[in-house]
Amino acid sequence: NDRRWQLVLSCLGCERAPFGQGSLVRFRMRMIANNLDKRLVARTVEIAKKSGGFGWQKLRVALDSAPLAGAGRVEDTWNLIGRAMAKVVATVSAAVDVDEATIISEAKLTALTADSLKAALDLDWDDDESQRIGLNKLLDEVTSLETWVRRRAKGESSKEPLKGALEQLRLGVGQDIEPDPDGGGSRITEGTAKDRVISLGDPEMRHGRKSRSKRIDGYKRHIVVSNRLVLATAVEPANAPEHVAAERLLTAAKQHGEVAVVDVDRGYLASPAIEALHRAGVTIHSRAWQPTNNGLFTKEKFEIDLDTNTVRCPNGVTTTIPPSRQARFSADDCVACVLKSKCTSSACRSVTIHESEALLIQLRRRRRTPEGRRELRKRGVVEHTLARIVAIQGTRARYRGRRKNELDLNRAAAIANLMVASR
């Protein structure tokens, strides 16, 4: 770790110096506070430019993402609430100078009297009724703890760090618990909350998916590449859609030259920045979203003419696109149509026009041509670069928190860039 940061210092033009105890942590914090890690990546690009082996007049940039498993421990509802309770006890103990054992005893927190919460509850985990009783007992102890804090540490509860510890406890209960519709108190919520906190060790971690079959517990790391060099990076919680990072990455890429071509995965297409580039004349290469319609005609069977604001169905009937962007054919035309059984099961057919429909039409047309498919294959460069960064950084986060892991990603990107410049 020390040697890696020495490389960072060298690249930034700083003198090499050994890190003493704690100084490496302070150095990282200064890097983050001043965005020096982002400057580091830009500096490696400048070094590569000096070699003269790269063209920067018209940039072809590509975006991609990879999962990054979080460093925090992923916890279920029981352990999340238990750890949050333990954190409140430890924090309030320091705030009011009362022994933790005394707080546990006075607040009657039996859930915190063993090495683990589940050992303290000692439930039959195969019995639903036993779990229901145990959960409501745990929630009663949460209430008892909050009552003790209000009585003995009311002033401190509005200040950090006790305020934050209490908020984490309430969040853990609020996101996972709901009233039992059958009566008898509360139950664990069916399904998963949209933005569920999955770890107290790293509250910014989230459940997400890279694909339907692959779940991510942590973050997604994003890069934008041109000339095989990483121009910028971003780290987002795993549940954040790909397009969230697109604008930041493309804005950073524009600092290195005029963007003429953009290669992206279809997940980035929802970004307003991609649509803005398309309208500005930038060429976008991506696989378009593939429409499905349960075996019936999809939107691709219809001729959409945005110049005349019309939609023509496979049977030759034309309708206009209203301001609502929901083009609807008349019921009379659909009932008399010989293709109705292949088109719709409703009384009439409608076609929704996407805000980026012009781009999507263009992408679908290109996909049908050999030249268009050849251009799509050029996106493989960013996948190879991302694989190199994953090899440098690893598959698991080194730090807790989104910004610290972005710093680590920038360091890995800088090393990858120097390797390219060296070759």
Side-chain angles (χ1 to χ4, degrees), residues 30-248:
R30 287 198 299 272
M31 290 276 291
I32 290 173
N34 297 285
N35 288 323
L36 290 179
D37 55 320
K38 299 177 182 180
R39 171 61 188 149
L40 171 67
V41 175
R43 175 71 179 133
T44 60
V45 175
E46 291 170 9
I47 291 173
K49 284 181 178 180
K50 291 180 180 179
S51 70
F54 306 90
W56 296 94
Q57 297 303 312
K58 298 284 187 179
L59 297 185
R60 180 168 190 153
V61 302
L63 282 67
D64 201 6
S65 68
L68 182 65
R73 183 170 64 188
V74 179
E75 294 161 314
D76 62 14
T77 300
W78 298 86
N79 287 320
L80 199 68
I81 294 175
R83 285 197 66 194
M85 290 174 65
K87 186 173 181 179
V88 170
V89 170
T91 307
V92 75
S93 172
V96 298
D97 195 22
V98 176
D99 188 67
E100 290 185 27
T102 301
I103 298 172
I104 291 171
S105 175
E106 291 182 358
K108 297 181 174 57
L109 308 179
T110 59
L112 302 182
T113 56
D115 292 337
S116 71
L117 177 136
K118 292 186 177 181
L121 294 175
D122 192 25
L123 303 178
D124 179 359
W125 297 100
D126 294 323
D127 181 64
D128 291 341
E129 180 62 17
S130 177
Q131 287 195 48
R132 185 189 67 79
I133 295 172
L135 177 64
N136 284 279
K137 178 184 177 182
L138 176 62
L139 295 176
D140 287 341
E141 294 191 8
V142 169
T143 302
S144 178
L145 174 57
E146 290 183 319
T147 301
W148 193 97
V149 172
R150 282 196 301 270
R151 188 175 67 250
R152 299 286 299 274
K154 185 176 181 179
E156 289 78 3
S157 65
S158 61
K159 306 172 185 176
E160 296 293 349
L162 182 54
K163 178 183 177 182
L166 287 168
E167 287 174 350
Q168 282 189 329
L169 176 59
R170 291 161 189 153
L171 176 63
V173 173
Q175 69 180 0
D176 289 346
I177 304 299
E178 67 181 5
D180 191 338
D182 297 328
S186 302
R187 69 175 186 182
I188 295 177
T189 304
E190 294 184 1
T192 304
K194 183 178 180 180
D195 199 36
R196 183 179 184 269
V197 174
I198 62 175
S199 172
L200 278 188
D202 185 353
E204 293 185 77
M205 287 172 51
R206 294 293 184 272
H207 286 312
R209 290 197 175 276
K210 179 63 176 173
S211 65
R212 288 185 178 181
S213 60
K214 187 170 184 179
R215 193 179 83 177
I216 309 168
D217 294 328
Y219 300 94
K220 286 180 187 174
R221 47 191 158 182
H222 304 258
I223 63 171
V224 57
V225 171
S226 183
N227 288 320
R228 294 175 288 130
L229 296 167
V230 180
L231 306 184
T233 75
V235 172
E236 295 291 340
N239 65 342
E242 263 78 4
H243 67 80
V244 170
E247 185 171 359
R248 264 197 299 155

Side-chain angles (χ1 to χ4, degrees), residues 5 8-9 12 14-15 17-40 403-404 407:
W5 280 115
V8 169
L9 286 171
L12 287 171
C14 303
E15 293 183 3
F19 288 108
Q21 186 176 5
S23 62
L24 181 56
V25 174
R26 291 193 297 273
F27 174 62
R28 286 200 303 265
M29 297 309 294
R30 287 198 299 272
M31 290 276 291
I32 290 173
N34 297 285
N35 288 323
L36 290 179
D37 55 320
K38 299 177 182 180
R39 171 61 188 149
L40 171 67
R403 186 62 182 88
K404 289 182 182 178
L407 172 140

Side-chain angles (χ1 to χ4, degrees), residues 389-402:
I389 287 177
V390 171
I392 295 170
Q393 188 184 21
T395 58
R396 188 172 182 84
R398 187 183 302 272
Y399 306 116
R400 290 179 170 86
R402 185 198 65 80

Side-chain angles (χ1 to χ4, degrees), residues 266-279:
R266 70 186 72 180
Y268 292 99
L269 289 178
S271 170
I274 296 293
E275 173 63 16
L277 287 174
H278 170 68
R279 291 180 178 176

